Amino acid sequence: MRLRLRLRGVLLVLALLLAATAVVPVLLLGDADADGATAGVAPAPPFNSSRVKAVSWQPRIFVYKGFLSDAECDHLVRLGKKKVHRSMVADNDSGKSVMSEVRTSSGTFLDKRQDPVVTRIEERIAAWTFLPEENAENIQILRYEHGQKYEPHFDYFHDKVNQARGGHRYATVLMYLSTVDKGGETIFPNAKGWESQPKDDTFSDCARKGLAVKPVKGDAVLFFSLHVNGVPDPLSLHGSCPVIEGEKWSAPKWIHVRSYENSPVPEEENEGCTDKSEHCAQWAAAGECGKNPVYMVGTEGMPGQCRKSCKVCDS
């Protein structure tokens, strides 16, 4: 009898040791790529519905507290820091990317499944939104410095060119990679009942003109640009207030109604090697075709902004 009890005790200790050694690397160390660049990037805690709060139903807006871990935020900032360029906007008529004073941030796109950390985040977004990964665009990394902002705009398209690829943007997941001391709020000026949102002195003047979400490192905002029947929702108008104190890093992920990865590239985008910015030649001369190939050249199925200047096609 004593021998049997002692044996059970030994087996219990062994089981606990095996469980501990199996769990610790996953929770504390995260995944690592071939050169170890992602080692030590701890993931956020498992999905917890209590961390999600509905802040508006018209339009539908949800905030997930702690969607990313601090380590994941820092990793995304490191990936984007050396590659950010002046952000562009889609022209309402042609659909081409153009510079505008409406948007004064800097940004760059990551590759899909670029490394284990990015892959893990993309999978988490799909799990939260119940929308397939193939419907989503690449994660974009954005930096807003003092005074930089993005005037209120819609994420759904007004031009037929962009609609041809995956349809309208149905939902947006906006991840905050840094906490801004003041300003930089995401504002929804058309949200129903925004006047009832309590605001103290920590909100900027811009944030007092609509429903506002403060940028807090690790948090994420999910909002829908279309109604459930697929009709664009004008209440989804949103913008980024000017940064007053600090620096804002964020990462939007746009998700379409249909597959974005497997949609044919519209003819207007595939006609050849037309540059989409007047600055392409200058950027190419500075070596950006090699330094920032995702933005300049593009990836499979997603042409870049400066294909002609980077000499990646014949025409």
Side-chain angles (χ1 to χ4, degrees):
M1 185 67 176
R2 288 181 180 177
L3 180 61
R4 191 174 299 173
L5 290 173
R6 192 174 298 172
L7 182 59
R8 286 181 182 176
V10 171
L11 291 174
L12 179 59
V13 170
L14 287 173
L16 290 172
L17 287 172
L18 286 172
T21 55
V23 172
V24 170
V26 174
L27 294 182
L28 299 184
L29 299 182
D31 300 311
D33 57 16
D35 60 5
T38 61
V41 180
F47 179 83
N48 184 345
S49 60
S50 66
R51 292 175 174 265
V52 181
K53 179 182 178 182
V55 296
S56 171
W57 290 105
Q58 293 181 290
R60 291 169 290 156
I61 308 171
F62 305 87
V63 175
Y64 190 129
K65 304 295 292 183
F67 182 75
L68 300 178
S69 68
D70 280 357
E72 287 173 329
C73 292
D74 295 341
H75 180 74
L76 293 181
V77 170
R78 281 196 299 270
L79 291 178
K81 206 161 197 173
K82 295 182 179 180
K83 296 184 177 181
V84 290
H85 289 281
R86 175 69 184 272
S87 298
M88 314 287 275
V89 298
D91 181 75
N92 286 341
D93 297 321
S94 68
K96 293 184 178 181
S97 297
V98 296
M99 280 192 183
S100 171
E101 288 305 309
V102 166
R103 187 185 196 187
T104 56
S105 61
S106 300
T108 188
F109 282 93
L110 305 180
D111 287 329
K112 278 195 174 182
R113 296 170 282 277
Q114 178 166 322
D115 62 33
V117 177
V118 173
T119 300
R120 185 171 66 208
I121 293 170
E122 290 172 333
E123 292 172 348
R124 193 181 308 152
I125 290 171
W128 181 24
T129 62
F130 289 97
L131 297 171
E133 291 183 56
E134 68 180 47
N135 287 25
E137 297 180 34
N138 300 34
I139 291 175
Q140 187 180 35
I141 307 297
L142 293 174
R143 179 182 66 192
Y144 292 84
E145 299 177 282
H146 178 75
Q148 293 186 331
K149 44 72 168 145
Y150 195 173
E151 295 288 350
H153 59 282
F154 299 106
D155 277 356
Y156 57 77
F157 299 113
H158 298 278
D159 64 279
K160 298 297 183 182
V161 176
N162 283 300
Q163 290 182 46
R165 187 174 183 193
H168 277 304
R169 287 170 173 167
Y170 179 63
T172 299
V173 174
L174 176 60
M175 298 166 280
Y176 297 122
L177 310 182
S178 66
T179 298
V180 181
D181 297 330
K182 190 164 186 179
E185 300 95 344
T186 302
I187 185 173
F188 296 85
N190 289 355
K192 293 289 187 181
W194 68 263
E195 299 89 348
S196 62
Q197 182 186 27
K199 295 187 176 78
D200 56 25
D201 292 340
T202 61
F203 284 86
S204 67
D205 290 340
C206 165
R208 300 180 186 279
K209 300 174 183 177
L211 189 150
V213 180
K214 286 186 176 183
V216 177
K217 186 177 182 179
D219 290 358
V221 181
L222 164 63
F223 63 91
F224 294 85
S225 295
L226 308 182
H227 292 292
V228 291
N229 61 359
V231 175
D233 183 1
L235 300 183
S236 67
L237 183 75
H238 62 283
S240 180
C241 289
V243 172
I244 299 173
E245 296 177 13
E247 186 178 55
K248 177 182 177 181
W249 285 88
S250 62
K253 180 81 162 174
W254 294 293
I255 309 170
H256 293 247
V257 296
R258 299 189 301 273
S259 173
Y260 184 81
E261 289 184 1
N262 301 320
S263 295
V265 179
E267 290 184 7
E268 287 85 349
E269 292 185 34
N270 202 31
E271 279 180 343
C273 282
T274 57
D275 289 335
K276 297 182 180 180
S277 170
E278 60 184 9
H279 301 281
C280 283
Q282 177 184 349
W283 291 337
E288 293 302 323
C289 297
K291 296 177 185 176
N292 193 12
V294 175
Y295 178 85
M296 297 287 287
V297 177
T299 58
E300 184 177 355
M302 190 178 79
Q305 304 296 309
C306 302
R307 294 174 62 80
K308 181 177 182 180
S309 291
C310 288
K311 299 182 172 66
V312 295
C313 47
D314 297 330
S315 57

